[in-house]
Each structure stands twice: as structure tokens, then as C-alpha cells.
Amino acid sequence: MNLPKLAQPVSLKQQAYQGIKNAIIDQSIAPGEVLYERALSEQLGISRTPIRESIPRLELEGWVTSVPRKGTFVSKITKQDVEEVIQIRRGLEVLVIEVLVPIISDEQIKHLEGIYDSQLNEQQENKRFISVDHDFHMLLAEFSGNKRLTNLMKTVSDQMRWFGVSALNSPNRIKQTLTEHQLIIQCLKERDSERAKKAVLEHIECTREAVMSTLKENEEDGR
């Protein structure tokens, strides 16, 4: 008899890490904010020990910075961070389109349209909107059938979501995003690789501009 191994329960340390990281990504904990173990313990419903143990990993990945005798602070989004991730995203998503257009099926396009419809219903809820936005882009990668390309997208997906929340603070960005996604889907329907690549690049550039605009406003406000 061959039985599958039972899944190991997620450790409290891993739960703390994931819970804090998700809160940073959706900016429930704002950039620059100090982390308080007691408050996090109460909100996550776990003891302070796994929270303390999760901090080194969060710091190693750049989500937080520990300052001796001052505390642990959520990292701030910098212009360099944005530029570096956007550069990577351009290359990856253009490649996704090149691979995807010749093979995408009508059923897959309908699936993307379903994701688009979900975004239409989440325009009043930024956290949900950006989560569905993430699903849209990851689905494009998955439909390409290139697992390595999909994994590369996953490596920057958390940062893309983090920046994306900031982008939504820019006026009309949600409606613009929906328009841009709609155009991408239309280009895929027409199997027009060049137009689809152009649509994706314009979408990424508009996101970059929105994030940079928000960063500039925060600098001017002294945040």
C-alpha cells in the first residue's frame, strides 16, 4: 500500500512571517511604521516568540529594517526599488506575451475575462482589487505553459503587489487599470502579439508613473 505523506502543519513562525508580510504588502502596516510585537501578537492571535523569530527572515528579504535601540521598521518604497522591479517586469511580461499569443485558447481568454469581471466588482476595495490584479498577471504567465517563466514572475509578484497598492492611490488609477486590462484581453483575442506587447508595456509604464507620483506626494508631505 502506498499512501501520500500527510502535509505538515504550518509552523507558528511561518504563520507570523506570512501574516506580517501580507500586512506589509497590502499596506495594512504602512511603509516606515514601527512593528510592535505585542500588537502583532494580539492581532495575529499567536505568542510573541514566533513573531520575534520571523523578523530576521523579513529583514533578509528587505521587508523590514531593524535599528538597534529603536525598533524594527517596515521598509519604505524607494524610487530605485520601483525602477528595478519595473525593469524586470517589462522583460518578463513581454516574454509571457510572446509565448502566450500563439497558443492561448478561447477558454483561457474567457477565464481572463472572468478575472476582469471580478476586478470590476472590486473597485471600492483596494486590497481585493490589487489581489485580483495579481491573479490576472500570474494567470497570463501560467497560460504560457512555461513553468520557469511563471516561477520568475512569482519571485517579483509580492513586490509588484506592494507597489501596486501605492499605485492605486493615484487618481483614476483603478479605472485606468481596468481599461488597460481590457485592451490586453482584446489583443489576445485577436492573437496580435505586437499590439499585446505594446498594451502590456503601456500598462506597466502607467503603473510605474502612478507609483512614482505617489512617492513624490509622500516626500512632499514628509511621510
Side-chain angles (χ1 to χ4, degrees):
M1 181 183 296
N2 293 317
L3 297 177
K5 292 182 179 180
L6 297 176
Q8 295 295 314
V10 178
S11 69
L12 290 177
K13 177 181 174 181
Q14 176 65 20
Q15 290 182 46
Y17 160 80
Q18 198 63 57
I20 296 170
K21 187 174 81 166
N22 285 338
I24 292 172
I25 289 171
D26 68 25
Q27 298 192 23
S28 295
I29 308 175
E33 188 173 335
V34 64
L35 296 182
Y36 293 105
E37 288 181 6
R38 179 177 295 179
L40 290 170
S41 172
E42 293 173 353
Q43 292 175 31
L44 294 174
I46 57 179
S47 70
R48 294 167 68 174
T49 299
I51 290 171
R52 191 177 305 115
E53 292 175 340
S54 72
I55 297 300
R57 181 177 175 186
L58 290 165
E59 186 166 19
L60 181 65
E61 294 179 1
W63 296 107
V64 303
T65 301
S66 295
V67 181
R69 295 183 294 280
K70 290 188 177 181
T72 300
F73 299 82
V74 175
S75 299
K76 292 184 178 182
I77 299 173
T78 69
K79 292 180 180 178
Q80 182 176 350
D81 292 333
V82 176
E83 293 291 5
E84 288 179 357
V85 172
I86 288 295
Q87 287 171 5
I88 295 169
R89 185 176 175 184
R90 286 193 194 106
L92 292 177
E93 296 211 33
V94 165
L95 182 54
V96 165
I97 294 298
E98 288 181 351
V99 176
L100 177 60
V101 168
I103 64 172
I104 192 167
S105 68
D106 291 340
E107 184 178 350
Q108 289 172 331
I109 290 174
K110 287 181 180 178
H111 197 156
L112 288 170
E113 289 177 323
I115 297 289
Y116 174 82
D117 289 341
S118 296
Q119 275 197 296
L120 283 175
N121 296 326
E122 300 293 352
Q123 294 183 62
Q124 305 304 316
E125 178 51 63
N126 283 12
K127 293 178 185 178
R128 283 292 308 144
F129 186 89
I130 205 66
S131 177
V132 179
D133 182 272
H134 167 264
D135 293 342
F136 179 87
H137 289 277
M138 287 307 305
L139 203 58
L140 289 174
E142 289 169 10
F143 284 164
S144 76
N146 188 320
K147 293 181 180 179
R148 289 175 175 80
L149 181 53
T150 301
N151 287 336
L152 287 172
M153 283 282 290
K154 287 178 181 177
T155 62
V156 294
S157 64
D158 286 341
Q159 290 173 311
M160 285 159 51
R161 284 169 56 207
W162 190 33
F163 301 157
V165 173
S166 294
L168 296 185
N169 293 324
S170 183
N172 300 318
R173 183 58 196 145
I174 287 179
K175 292 189 180 299
Q176 289 173 352
T177 296
L178 289 168
T179 299
E180 291 155 12
H181 280 188
Q182 191 175 41
L183 178 58
I184 292 169
I185 292 173
Q186 184 58 40
C187 293
L188 291 174
K189 280 184 175 181
E190 297 171 3
R191 273 64 175 184
D192 191 328
S193 181
E194 291 308 310
R195 281 190 64 220
K197 284 190 286 186
K198 182 179 179 182
V200 163
L201 287 173
E202 288 180 352
H203 173 55
I204 294 171
E205 179 59 22
C206 288
T207 299
R208 188 192 75 81
E209 290 176 357
V211 177
M212 289 301 192
S213 176
T214 299
L215 291 181
K216 183 178 180 180
E217 289 176 5
N218 290 344
E219 289 175 357
E220 291 173 350
D221 292 341
R223 283 183 279 175

